[in-house]
Amino acid sequence: MDDEGEREYRTAELAKAAGITVRTLRFYRERKLLPPPRREGRIAWYDNHHLARLRTIAALLERGHTLGGITELVTAFEEGQDVGALLGVTPTEETPVRLSPEELADAFAGEVTRENFAEALKLGYLATDGDEIVHISRRLLDVSVALIREGVPLAAVMEAGSRVRVHAEALASLFLDTMATHAPEADVDRLRPLAKSVVEAELSLAMDRHMAGKLEREVKEEAGGEG
């Protein structure tokens, strides 16, 4: 998964590899966002797990998480708590999945390149916790694996997921705004299945229309060729 191989870094080397300053690295260490380094006399040695943790922190900061929130997330990882709520996912809706690097590589059948892994971290699908990797959603993981088995490259799956997220954000905003305007006292979590049913039905109908249109175009092309 990481073509850099297993290696160790001094403080300045790790900071450079992560694209941060030494001062920032030490600040993260003081905040206990990083596991302690291996000590050899007065020299602190870090490894690829520390680098992966720093990249995860950078990705979470880009997504708008605060350092306090990231600290809570790291603590939840280390204590084995449910991290769904901390990642903005309702625990009853999505279940995070812990995987070893080997399990992740097996699941995605050789598609786990450095670029794909970095993109998954950036999108928030994956986070690292020491030797383990946490996927934000069992359902999204299963769908991704199924699509890859059908021959869709992982990079294309993530690109599609990124585009779907834009529309999903708009749909969630539409539903929540509608409820806030017309039923402000309603329990949104209780009505969540209604929103999901509308989206599922509309998507199904849209796919029917697209497939019917494709079939109609193919029939016309065949008729034109015969003429």
Side-chain angles (χ1 to χ4, degrees):
M1 182 179 63
D2 186 353
D3 59 11
E4 292 176 352
E6 289 297 326
R7 61 164 294 185
E8 289 189 309
Y9 308 80
R10 293 195 182 204
T11 301
E13 293 172 334
L14 180 65
K16 182 178 180 181
I20 61 175
T21 65
V22 170
R23 182 176 180 180
T24 298
L25 172 57
R26 287 172 176 160
F27 175 73
Y28 288 164
R29 192 172 66 191
E30 290 169 2
R31 290 287 298 267
K32 301 190 183 304
L33 288 169
L34 285 178
R38 182 178 70 83
R39 291 284 179 178
E40 189 174 283
R42 299 182 62 182
I43 301 175
W45 290 102
Y46 299 87
D47 57 26
N48 287 340
H49 299 306
H50 292 96
L51 180 58
R53 174 67 65 83
L54 289 172
R55 288 172 175 169
T56 298
I57 292 170
L60 291 171
L61 288 172
E62 287 183 3
R63 295 181 64 210
H65 291 267
T66 64
L67 282 178
I70 295 173
T71 300
E72 291 181 10
L73 181 60
V74 169
T75 300
F77 282 152
E78 293 175 346
E79 294 180 356
Q81 298 174 14
D82 185 358
V83 300
L86 292 173
L87 289 172
V89 179
T90 303
T92 56
E93 288 287 315
E94 302 300 328
T95 303
V97 183
R98 285 178 172 267
L99 301 163
S100 68
E102 293 75 19
E103 289 171 333
L104 185 72
D106 289 343
F108 289 108
E111 290 278 332
V112 185
T113 63
R114 183 197 297 181
E115 292 76 17
N116 285 340
F117 188 69
E119 183 65 15
L121 287 173
K122 179 179 178 181
L123 291 171
Y125 291 136
L126 297 180
T128 58
D129 177 33
D131 293 334
E132 289 188 312
I133 298 162
V134 180
H135 194 290
I136 193 173
S137 165
R138 163 61 71 182
R139 289 194 293 181
L140 289 178
L141 174 62
D142 290 345
V143 169
S144 298
V145 170
L147 288 172
I148 288 168
R149 288 176 179 170
E150 292 294 326
V152 183
L154 179 56
V157 171
M158 289 193 293
E159 170 63 21
S162 178
R163 295 172 63 183
V164 167
R165 179 178 293 177
V166 173
H167 297 290
E169 292 285 349
L171 290 168
S173 179
L174 174 62
F175 177 73
L176 293 173
D177 288 348
T178 299
M179 296 307 301
T181 300
H182 300 286
E185 303 301 322
D187 182 349
V188 174
D189 281 335
R190 180 175 59 83
L191 298 178
R192 182 193 297 258
L194 300 181
K196 292 168 59 179
S197 294
V198 170
V199 173
E200 184 175 341
E202 287 288 359
L203 178 59
S204 180
L205 291 169
M207 291 183 70
D208 288 343
R209 291 193 294 270
H210 278 268
M211 289 188 291
K214 182 176 183 293
L215 179 60
E216 183 178 350
R217 289 191 298 273
E218 290 175 350
V219 170
K220 288 181 179 179
E221 290 173 1
E222 290 180 3
E226 293 175 356

